[in-house]
Amino acid sequence: MNYEEVISRLRALGKAEHRDGMAHFGISTGSALGISIPELRRLAREVGRDHDLAGRLWASGIHEARILATLIDVPSEVSEEQMERWAADFDSWDIVDGACGNLFDRTRWAWDKAMEWSRREEEYVKRAAFALMAYLAIHDKKAGSERFVAFLPVIEREAWDGRNFVKKAVNWALRQIGKRDFALNAAAIESARRILAQGSAPARWIARDALRELEGAPMQARLAASSKRAAS
């Protein structure tokens, strides 16, 4: 399927009522057509992996075309320069999360960018740093615990940032790290307690929400079951 065909399909799938619903969830809809994620995933399976097409779709500026680009691009062909170009275009939290969770976390640059972008001032680029941390915790099953422990001081350092999309991503990264195993759960809980002691409103929200989940009985039972399976 070529670029023109994909754009035509996207325009045909767009629904004004879905676009209006997107705005309710804080998604930027200025360039949106109104297409659900399941529909985009189905289209991505039809299109298949295509790095060059992904670049053209991203350059179109169409909201859903950019999400589709994250679904069809080839992680091994993504350069550091591309990641920086796309990050400069981030204008909505769902684009950030799609780029990080569908593509960027599978590139060779993911770990470095998580650290680097955590110091950036732009709200969506900074969100991308912590979205990468969260998605690496979810997807990178082979990574050693020490790599995630290295993220915790960064999470603590940035817990002051009260901007909505940053604050929620910092919390998300902390919780996902703490879900991996008992050792990381304990380390994340310790980090959350230090964050709580910082005293700012964003830090208190991040810490209390994380502690509620990480210390909760359901999480502890899940980790115990996972540990038992690994030992058997």
Side-chain angles (χ1 to χ4, degrees), residues 128-155:
F130 297 98
L132 275 173
M133 293 180 194
Y135 279 121
L136 286 165
I138 296 168
H139 294 153
D140 195 339
K141 305 301 184 185
K142 296 181 179 179
S145 294
E146 71 281 356
R147 303 198 78 177
F148 295 103
V149 169
F151 284 151
L152 294 175
V154 180
I155 289 169

Side-chain angles (χ1 to χ4, degrees), residues 21 52 55 138 217 219-220 227:
D52 292 335
I138 296 168
M219 176 58 59
Q220 294 301 312
S227 179

Side-chain angles (χ1 to χ4, degrees), residues 102-116:
N102 298 330
L103 181 64
F104 286 175
D105 70 325
R106 295 168 173 84
T107 69
R108 59 177 292 195
W109 315 103
W111 294 85
D112 289 342
K113 289 302 172 186
M115 289 294 201
E116 181 183 335

